[in-house]
Amino acid sequence: MRAFLRVVFRCPYGRPAVTEQAPYAADGSPFPTTYYLTCPHAVAVVSRLEAARGVERWSALAAADGTLRASVERATGQQRELRRELAAGHVGRDEGASLELGIGGSSSPLRLKCLHAHVAFALARPGYVLGERIVAELEQLFPEEGCCSL
């Protein structure tokens, strides 16, 4: 991955499942996804939810439910703070504009763009209610029969 910093969450089999990315790649291009879901099985499970109009449904739920709305707004603030911290005063080609983006590069907290990013955020930072509820809806996030990467 072009902006990889470190592994922040491992699957039950010890393999990297969520990585932390720098706000900018070495060439200065923005990388708006701070926490990146890397487990192939988990990625496929979340992709199925997205294909079933999950982004639209969860965006509507977040807008309508005060607890979910507060959760995504709080997490968006944490995301912005984290990106500024990771950038350590550096700005890329965008002059720092992407440092103000929310989870998954969204410009508006209630317009979810990528459920993968919200699941990754929840795994990396326990207590993110919206992300944890998305995870709870999913079928088995990690395979029971063994690691899918070995």
Side-chain angles (χ1 to χ4, degrees):
M1 283 175 239
R2 62 187 175 119
F4 174 81
L5 291 175
R6 66 189 179 110
V7 173
V8 294
F9 184 87
R10 292 183 180 275
C11 76
Y13 306 102
R15 306 287 293 169
V18 178
T19 59
E20 183 177 78
Q21 309 306 123
Y24 296 101
D27 68 358
S29 59
F31 198 92
T33 304
T34 303
Y35 296 124
Y36 200 81
L37 191 62
T38 60
C39 168
H41 187 271
V43 168
V45 168
V46 177
S47 293
R48 286 191 289 277
L49 177 60
E50 284 191 354
R53 301 191 46 83
V55 172
E56 295 86 351
R57 187 168 53 77
W58 278 101
S59 292
L61 287 168
D65 181 299
T67 300
L68 296 179
R69 183 173 47 255
S71 172
V72 74
E73 288 172 350
R74 188 171 37 259
T76 296
Q78 292 172 352
Q79 161 80 356
R80 290 172 178 159
E81 183 178 313
L82 176 62
R83 288 178 60 72
R84 289 189 295 270
E85 180 182 310
L86 291 172
H90 295 96
V91 295
R93 294 181 191 166
D94 67 354
E95 312 254 333
S98 66
L99 297 177
E100 296 307 311
L101 295 174
I103 297 169
S106 178
S107 59
S108 171
L110 297 179
R111 265 196 5 238
L112 308 184
K113 287 177 68 175
C114 174
L115 297 184
H116 296 85
H118 289 273
V119 167
F121 198 95
L123 294 173
R125 292 185 164 236
Y128 174 38
V129 176
L130 175 73
E132 289 173 352
R133 288 202 187 161
I134 294 168
V135 170
E137 176 185 311
L138 297 168
E139 60 189 80
Q140 185 88 25
L141 192 57
F142 302 108
E144 286 183 19
E145 62 278 356
C147 181
C148 63
S149 298
L150 297 177

